[in-house]
């Protein structure tokens, strides 16, 4: 019998860059973290007891990137994503009108990146089929793998382009397992 997975949430935050374009913050996780150090990630983490996905994603967004968004900023949720490292991640889509309010946590964030929506769409269009061992999103700063890549892929397909796309079977490389 398989152990139950730990509930977690991530925030896919759409920030306005001042020119009317949308940006999505991602970061490289700090080397000293217990889970997934050195990997590209969306702001997120384990849910606290009796915390729902939206509350957890907003809390983690504030802790990791210093962005104090509230429930009115939540646009919706994507499909839960089970990881091989023992988490069920609930992706929460959030809107914030300012890209200038980010203050990354030095303890959790090694480097912050702002992904342009057009760069995400280009990476999704050029990606190998998600179940392939070669699946990743080639972003401007390098390849990003599942689970982050799978969540971003579904966001692009569903939220940006209005297509139905499930990603639960997308390939997760061995290094993404802790």
């Amino acid at each position: 019998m398989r152990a139950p997975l730990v509930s977690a949430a991530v925030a896919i935050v759409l920030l306005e860059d001042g020119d009317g374009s949308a940006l999505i913050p991602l970061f490289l996780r700090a080397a000293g973290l217990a889970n997934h150090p050195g990997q590209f990630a969306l702001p997120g983490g384990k849910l606290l007891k009796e915390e729902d996905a939206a509350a957890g994603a907003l809390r983690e967004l504030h802790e990791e990137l210093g962005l104090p968004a509230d429930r009115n900023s939540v646009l919706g949720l994507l499909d839960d994503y089970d990881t091989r490292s023992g988490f069920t991640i609930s992706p929460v889509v959030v809107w914030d009108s300012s890209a200038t309010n980010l203050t990354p946590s030095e303890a959790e964030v090694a480097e912050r990146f702002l992904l342009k929506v057009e760069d995400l769409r280009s990476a999704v269009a050029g990606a190998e089929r998600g179940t392939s061992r070669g699946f990743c999103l080639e972003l401007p700063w390098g390849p990003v793998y599942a689970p982050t890549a799978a969540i971003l892929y579904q966001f692009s397909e569903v939220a940006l382009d209005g297509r139905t796309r499930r990603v639960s079977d997308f390939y997760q490389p061995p290094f993404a397992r802790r």
Side-chain angles (χ1 to χ4, degrees):
M1 185 168 160
R2 187 173 153 184
L5 300 179
V6 176
S7 295
V10 296
I12 302 170
V13 186
L14 292 163
L15 301 171
E16 188 176 338
D17 71 354
D19 294 328
S21 297
L23 303 168
I24 301 167
L26 289 107
F27 58 90
L28 192 62
R29 292 176 53 82
L33 294 173
N35 292 312
H36 310 289
Q39 293 181 19
F40 284 104
L42 294 159
K46 295 178 194 176
L47 297 182
L48 300 177
K49 191 174 188 172
E50 298 191 29
E51 186 175 51
D52 67 10
L58 293 172
R59 176 183 49 78
E60 289 285 348
L61 177 60
H62 187 251
E63 289 174 9
E64 294 175 348
L65 294 180
L67 188 64
D70 62 28
R71 282 204 179 258
N72 293 327
S73 303
V74 174
L75 300 177
L77 287 87
L78 296 174
D79 292 342
D80 285 352
Y81 188 86
D82 291 341
T83 71
R84 294 188 184 206
S85 60
F87 296 92
T88 294
I89 300 172
S90 298
V92 179
V93 180
V94 177
W95 168 258
D96 192 276
S97 61
S98 175
T100 60
N101 294 338
L102 300 181
T103 309
S105 162
E106 291 181 17
E108 297 188 61
V109 178
E111 189 172 356
R112 181 206 28 97
F113 301 91
L114 293 173
L115 176 62
K116 295 178 182 177
V117 167
E118 56 267 20
D119 288 338
L120 173 59
R121 281 186 160 140
S122 177
V124 166
E128 289 188 35
R129 183 165 151 62
T131 55
S132 161
R133 287 172 129 347
F135 172 70
C136 71
L137 293 180
E138 291 288 346
L139 300 181
W141 52 82
V144 176
Y145 298 89
T148 300
I151 292 167
L152 286 170
Y153 189 99
Q154 186 179 45
F155 170 75
S156 180
E157 290 287 285
V158 174
L160 299 179
D161 294 326
R163 293 188 278 268
T164 301
R165 182 64 159 131
R166 303 287 183 235
V167 297
S168 61
D169 62 343
F170 275 29
Y171 177 73
Q172 297 177 53
F175 64 78
R177 296 187 185 130
R178 284 210 194 216

